[in-house]
Amino acid sequence: MKIIALTIYFFLLTNFSFSQIKKRDLNGNWKTNTELFSKVDTIKFYPNIKDCDQTQWTIIRRNFKTNELNICTQPPRISGIVGEEKIKLKKKDFGQIIEYYQNGIIADKFRVVELIKQNPQELKLMRFDKLSEQKLYKYVDSLIFKVLNYNSEKTENNYGVKISESNPNVKIRDGGIGNPEPLVVVNGRPLQNRELLKELLLVETYAIKYLTKEQSASIYGSRAINGAIVLLTSEKRFKKIWKKIRQVTMYNRNYSVPKLWETTSESTRNC
């Protein structure tokens, strides 16, 4: 029962829908807490909030303005960005993004996660994370070990075969590893290891779902004896990263390409 609840929780928490909004849908005043705006990746804007310190976006047709507000001072303190500001709304293969410009130079980028038009209105954005921070890799790592409570030292596998405590990686009857991590699948490709995730962006990943071993067995077989984590991300970026890794590897001494995903049928890749 617990694992079913976790599955539903993952899906609702991390399934970023493809928002299709128009620029006129953003017209008006949108406010967020200043600390929230500056310190976290996911930012929620509302027409009205009660916090003393606020960041306000004013969008009127082609005009865009940012103000920092403190409504608890008398009179209220208002400061704006020096220079010309502009935003552009663009479509990508993983959803929509907002590009923010200051004096003609792009200063920030955001993924549009959701726009709720009913009261209370809400605009939810995700700031583009830096590749060096490896946030998608860390997110999946945390999901495996902290949320799913995966134990790499578990001594009994799902086939009921006892594993040697001194050697947890002893082979079991079908030739697999006794207690593998949940299988990670990106855009239909089962990965052999998670290293490739270090070059993918969390902000460009629009769906993350955990499948139990029962749910994943018919698709991935014994490779998913501890379930599968399925990610949908930008196919354009995924292909670019694979091409880069392949080119770099061609120059190593062994002239061999690392096996970053496992071979699977075409029908499985399209699931």
Side-chain angles (χ1 to χ4, degrees), residues 47-64:
N48 294 291
I49 57 175
K50 297 180 180 180
D51 297 307
C52 288
D53 294 303
Q54 304 173 8
T55 297
Q56 177 176 293
W57 280 10
T58 303
I59 306 171
I60 305 175
R61 296 183 180 178
R62 295 181 179 273
N63 297 321
F64 177 81

PDB file of all heavy atoms in Angstrom, residues 47-64:
ATOM      1  N   PRO A  47      -1.557  37.132  -8.000  1.00  0.00           N
ATOM      2  CA  PRO A  47      -1.937  38.551  -8.135  1.00  0.00           C
ATOM      3  C   PRO A  47      -1.800  39.304  -6.816  1.00  0.00           C
ATOM      4  O   PRO A  47      -1.477  40.491  -6.804  1.00  0.00           O
ATOM      5  CB  PRO A  47      -3.395  38.481  -8.593  1.00  0.00           C
ATOM      6  CG  PRO A  47      -3.524  37.128  -9.229  1.00  0.00           C
ATOM      7  CD  PRO A  47      -2.626  36.230  -8.438  1.00  0.00           C
ATOM      8  N   ASN A  48      -2.050  38.614  -5.687  1.00  0.00           N
ATOM      9  CA  ASN A  48      -1.966  39.266  -4.390  1.00  0.00           C
ATOM     10  C   ASN A  48      -1.336  38.331  -3.359  1.00  0.00           C
ATOM     11  O   ASN A  48      -1.720  37.166  -3.250  1.00  0.00           O
ATOM     12  CB  ASN A  48      -3.366  39.682  -3.891  1.00  0.00           C
ATOM     13  CG  ASN A  48      -3.991  40.758  -4.754  1.00  0.00           C
ATOM     14  OD1 ASN A  48      -3.534  41.898  -4.754  1.00  0.00           O
ATOM     15  ND2 ASN A  48      -5.030  40.393  -5.493  1.00  0.00           N
ATOM     16  N   ILE A  49      -0.351  38.845  -2.624  1.00  0.00           N
ATOM     17  CA  ILE A  49       0.217  38.133  -1.491  1.00  0.00           C
ATOM     18  C   ILE A  49       0.377  39.112  -0.334  1.00  0.00           C
ATOM     19  O   ILE A  49       0.412  40.334  -0.547  1.00  0.00           O
ATOM     20  CB  ILE A  49       1.574  37.474  -1.830  1.00  0.00           C
ATOM     21  CG1 ILE A  49       2.574  38.534  -2.332  1.00  0.00           C
ATOM     22  CG2 ILE A  49       1.418  36.361  -2.840  1.00  0.00           C
ATOM     23  CD1 ILE A  49       3.964  37.959  -2.558  1.00  0.00           C
ATOM     24  N   LYS A  50       0.493  38.613   0.901  1.00  0.00           N
ATOM     25  CA  LYS A  50       0.497  39.471   2.080  1.00  0.00           C
ATOM     26  C   LYS A  50       1.885  39.710   2.651  1.00  0.00           C
ATOM     27  O   LYS A  50       2.022  40.426   3.636  1.00  0.00           O
ATOM     28  CB  LYS A  50      -0.409  38.852   3.151  1.00  0.00           C
ATOM     29  CG  LYS A  50      -1.869  38.752   2.729  1.00  0.00           C
ATOM     30  CD  LYS A  50      -2.717  38.135   3.839  1.00  0.00           C
ATOM     31  CE  LYS A  50      -4.179  38.040   3.410  1.00  0.00           C
ATOM     32  NZ  LYS A  50      -5.030  37.432   4.481  1.00  0.00           N
ATOM     33  N   ASP A  51       2.926  39.101   2.070  1.00  0.00           N
ATOM     34  CA  ASP A  51       4.269  39.266   2.612  1.00  0.00           C
ATOM     35  C   ASP A  51       4.741  40.712   2.477  1.00  0.00           C
ATOM     36  O   ASP A  51       4.444  41.390   1.499  1.00  0.00           O
ATOM     37  CB  ASP A  51       5.249  38.343   1.881  1.00  0.00           C
ATOM     38  CG  ASP A  51       4.894  36.878   2.079  1.00  0.00           C
ATOM     39  OD1 ASP A  51       4.744  36.457   3.230  1.00  0.00           O
ATOM     40  OD2 ASP A  51       4.749  36.168   1.070  1.00  0.00           O
ATOM     41  N   CYS A  52       5.529  41.141   3.452  1.00  0.00           N
ATOM     42  CA  CYS A  52       6.071  42.503   3.400  1.00  0.00           C
ATOM     43  C   CYS A  52       6.949  42.702   2.169  1.00  0.00           C
ATOM     44  O   CYS A  52       6.808  43.679   1.430  1.00  0.00           O
ATOM     45  CB  CYS A  52       6.874  42.794   4.668  1.00  0.00           C
ATOM     46  SG  CYS A  52       5.857  43.019   6.149  1.00  0.00           S
ATOM     47  N   ASP A  53       7.909  41.784   1.978  1.00  0.00           N
ATOM     48  CA  ASP A  53       8.840  41.894   0.849  1.00  0.00           C
ATOM     49  C   ASP A  53       8.312  41.106  -0.341  1.00  0.00           C
ATOM     50  O   ASP A  53       8.011  39.905  -0.234  1.00  0.00           O
ATOM     51  CB  ASP A  53      10.219  41.365   1.252  1.00  0.00           C
ATOM     52  CG  ASP A  53      10.869  42.231   2.318  1.00  0.00           C
ATOM     53  OD1 ASP A  53      11.029  43.443   2.073  1.00  0.00           O
ATOM     54  OD2 ASP A  53      11.201  41.693   3.393  1.00  0.00           O
ATOM     55  N   GLN A  54       8.205  41.779  -1.452  1.00  0.00           N
ATOM     56  CA  GLN A  54       7.633  41.161  -2.645  1.00  0.00           C
ATOM     57  C   GLN A  54       8.455  41.514  -3.882  1.00  0.00           C
ATOM     58  O   GLN A  54       9.086  42.564  -3.942  1.00  0.00           O
ATOM     59  CB  GLN A  54       6.191  41.634  -2.877  1.00  0.00           C
ATOM     60  CG  GLN A  54       5.243  41.404  -1.731  1.00  0.00           C
ATOM     61  CD  GLN A  54       3.898  42.059  -1.977  1.00  0.00           C
ATOM     62  OE1 GLN A  54       3.624  42.568  -3.063  1.00  0.00           O
ATOM     63  NE2 GLN A  54       3.048  42.062  -0.948  1.00  0.00           N
ATOM     64  N   THR A  55       8.425  40.612  -4.852  1.00  0.00           N
ATOM     65  CA  THR A  55       8.893  40.931  -6.195  1.00  0.00           C
ATOM     66  C   THR A  55       7.667  40.966  -7.096  1.00  0.00           C
ATOM     67  O   THR A  55       6.888  40.011  -7.113  1.00  0.00           O
ATOM     68  CB  THR A  55       9.882  39.873  -6.715  1.00  0.00           C
ATOM     69  OG1 THR A  55      11.044  39.873  -5.885  1.00  0.00           O
ATOM     70  CG2 THR A  55      10.294  40.173  -8.155  1.00  0.00           C
ATOM     71  N   GLN A  56       7.487  42.050  -7.823  1.00  0.00           N
ATOM     72  CA  GLN A  56       6.292  42.206  -8.653  1.00  0.00           C
ATOM     73  C   GLN A  56       6.663  42.299 -10.123  1.00  0.00           C
ATOM     74  O   GLN A  56       7.529  43.078 -10.505  1.00  0.00           O
ATOM     75  CB  GLN A  56       5.518  43.462  -8.245  1.00  0.00           C
ATOM     76  CG  GLN A  56       4.290  43.750  -9.113  1.00  0.00           C
ATOM     77  CD  GLN A  56       3.508  44.945  -8.603  1.00  0.00           C
ATOM     78  OE1 GLN A  56       2.917  44.909  -7.538  1.00  0.00           O
ATOM     79  NE2 GLN A  56       3.511  46.026  -9.374  1.00  0.00           N
ATOM     80  N   TRP A  57       6.022  41.457 -10.926  1.00  0.00           N
ATOM     81  CA  TRP A  57       6.127  41.551 -12.384  1.00  0.00           C
ATOM     82  C   TRP A  57       4.868  42.253 -12.892  1.00  0.00           C
ATOM     83  O   TRP A  57       3.754  41.788 -12.639  1.00  0.00           O
ATOM     84  CB  TRP A  57       6.187  40.160 -13.013  1.00  0.00           C
ATOM     85  CG  TRP A  57       7.533  39.506 -12.949  1.00  0.00           C
ATOM     86  CD1 TRP A  57       8.615  39.912 -12.252  1.00  0.00           C
ATOM     87  CD2 TRP A  57       7.921  38.304 -13.622  1.00  0.00           C
ATOM     88  NE1 TRP A  57       9.667  39.049 -12.442  1.00  0.00           N
ATOM     89  CE2 TRP A  57       9.270  38.059 -13.273  1.00  0.00           C
ATOM     90  CE3 TRP A  57       7.275  37.418 -14.479  1.00  0.00           C
ATOM     91  CZ2 TRP A  57       9.971  36.962 -13.758  1.00  0.00           C
ATOM     92  CZ3 TRP A  57       7.956  36.327 -14.964  1.00  0.00           C
ATOM     93  CH2 TRP A  57       9.300  36.098 -14.609  1.00  0.00           C
ATOM     94  N   THR A  58       5.054  43.339 -13.614  1.00  0.00           N
ATOM     95  CA  THR A  58       3.926  44.023 -14.255  1.00  0.00           C
ATOM     96  C   THR A  58       4.027  43.802 -15.753  1.00  0.00           C
ATOM     97  O   THR A  58       5.015  44.211 -16.380  1.00  0.00           O
ATOM     98  CB  THR A  58       3.937  45.531 -13.936  1.00  0.00           C
ATOM     99  OG1 THR A  58       3.900  45.713 -12.510  1.00  0.00           O
ATOM    100  CG2 THR A  58       2.736  46.221 -14.562  1.00  0.00           C
ATOM    101  N   ILE A  59       3.021  43.147 -16.319  1.00  0.00           N
ATOM    102  CA  ILE A  59       3.030  42.816 -17.754  1.00  0.00           C
ATOM    103  C   ILE A  59       1.805  43.454 -18.395  1.00  0.00           C
ATOM    104  O   ILE A  59       0.668  43.119 -18.065  1.00  0.00           O
ATOM    105  CB  ILE A  59       3.012  41.288 -17.970  1.00  0.00           C
ATOM    106  CG1 ILE A  59       4.160  40.620 -17.201  1.00  0.00           C
ATOM    107  CG2 ILE A  59       3.095  40.946 -19.464  1.00  0.00           C
ATOM    108  CD1 ILE A  59       4.103  39.113 -17.182  1.00  0.00           C
ATOM    109  N   ILE A  60       2.039  44.401 -19.279  1.00  0.00           N
ATOM    110  CA  ILE A  60       0.963  45.068 -20.006  1.00  0.00           C
ATOM    111  C   ILE A  60       1.310  45.058 -21.479  1.00  0.00           C
ATOM    112  O   ILE A  60       2.179  45.814 -21.932  1.00  0.00           O
ATOM    113  CB  ILE A  60       0.750  46.517 -19.519  1.00  0.00           C
ATOM    114  CG1 ILE A  60       0.508  46.541 -17.998  1.00  0.00           C
ATOM    115  CG2 ILE A  60      -0.411  47.171 -20.253  1.00  0.00           C
ATOM    116  CD1 ILE A  60       0.402  47.931 -17.415  1.00  0.00           C
ATOM    117  N   ARG A  61       0.675  44.166 -22.220  1.00  0.00           N
ATOM    118  CA  ARG A  61       0.946  43.997 -23.645  1.00  0.00           C
ATOM    119  C   ARG A  61       2.436  43.774 -23.881  1.00  0.00           C
ATOM    120  O   ARG A  61       2.989  42.789 -23.454  1.00  0.00           O
ATOM    121  CB  ARG A  61       0.399  45.186 -24.432  1.00  0.00           C
ATOM    122  CG  ARG A  61      -1.114  45.299 -24.357  1.00  0.00           C
ATOM    123  CD  ARG A  61      -1.626  46.448 -25.210  1.00  0.00           C
ATOM    124  NE  ARG A  61      -3.076  46.558 -25.126  1.00  0.00           N
ATOM    125  CZ  ARG A  61      -3.793  47.480 -25.737  1.00  0.00           C
ATOM    126  NH1 ARG A  61      -3.186  48.399 -26.492  1.00  0.00           N
ATOM    127  NH2 ARG A  61      -5.096  47.502 -25.605  1.00  0.00           N
ATOM    128  N   ARG A  62       3.094  44.719 -24.541  1.00  0.00           N
ATOM    129  CA  ARG A  62       4.513  44.540 -24.862  1.00  0.00           C
ATOM    130  C   ARG A  62       5.436  45.054 -23.760  1.00  0.00           C
ATOM    131  O   ARG A  62       6.648  44.877 -23.835  1.00  0.00           O
ATOM    132  CB  ARG A  62       4.851  45.253 -26.188  1.00  0.00           C
ATOM    133  CG  ARG A  62       4.148  44.648 -27.395  1.00  0.00           C
ATOM    134  CD  ARG A  62       4.550  45.387 -28.656  1.00  0.00           C
ATOM    135  NE  ARG A  62       3.909  44.807 -29.830  1.00  0.00           N
ATOM    136  CZ  ARG A  62       4.404  43.801 -30.527  1.00  0.00           C
ATOM    137  NH1 ARG A  62       5.545  43.260 -30.165  1.00  0.00           N
ATOM    138  NH2 ARG A  62       3.774  43.318 -31.577  1.00  0.00           N
ATOM    139  N   ASN A  63       4.884  45.706 -22.767  1.00  0.00           N
ATOM    140  CA  ASN A  63       5.703  46.306 -21.709  1.00  0.00           C
ATOM    141  C   ASN A  63       5.852  45.359 -20.523  1.00  0.00           C
ATOM    142  O   ASN A  63       4.909  44.658 -20.139  1.00  0.00           O
ATOM    143  CB  ASN A  63       5.084  47.631 -21.239  1.00  0.00           C
ATOM    144  CG  ASN A  63       5.037  48.654 -22.353  1.00  0.00           C
ATOM    145  OD1 ASN A  63       5.970  48.753 -23.149  1.00  0.00           O
ATOM    146  ND2 ASN A  63       3.955  49.415 -22.427  1.00  0.00           N
ATOM    147  N   PHE A  64       7.063  45.335 -19.943  1.00  0.00           N
ATOM    148  CA  PHE A  64       7.343  44.474 -18.802  1.00  0.00           C
ATOM    149  C   PHE A  64       8.206  45.245 -17.816  1.00  0.00           C
ATOM    150  O   PHE A  64       9.147  45.934 -18.197  1.00  0.00           O
ATOM    151  CB  PHE A  64       8.081  43.214 -19.251  1.00  0.00           C
ATOM    152  CG  PHE A  64       8.468  42.298 -18.125  1.00  0.00           C
ATOM    153  CD1 PHE A  64       7.554  41.425 -17.582  1.00  0.00           C
ATOM    154  CD2 PHE A  64       9.751  42.330 -17.603  1.00  0.00           C
ATOM    155  CE1 PHE A  64       7.893  40.588 -16.530  1.00  0.00           C
ATOM    156  CE2 PHE A  64      10.115  41.499 -16.556  1.00  0.00           C
ATOM    157  CZ  PHE A  64       9.180  40.624 -16.020  1.00  0.00           C
TER     158      PHE A  64
END
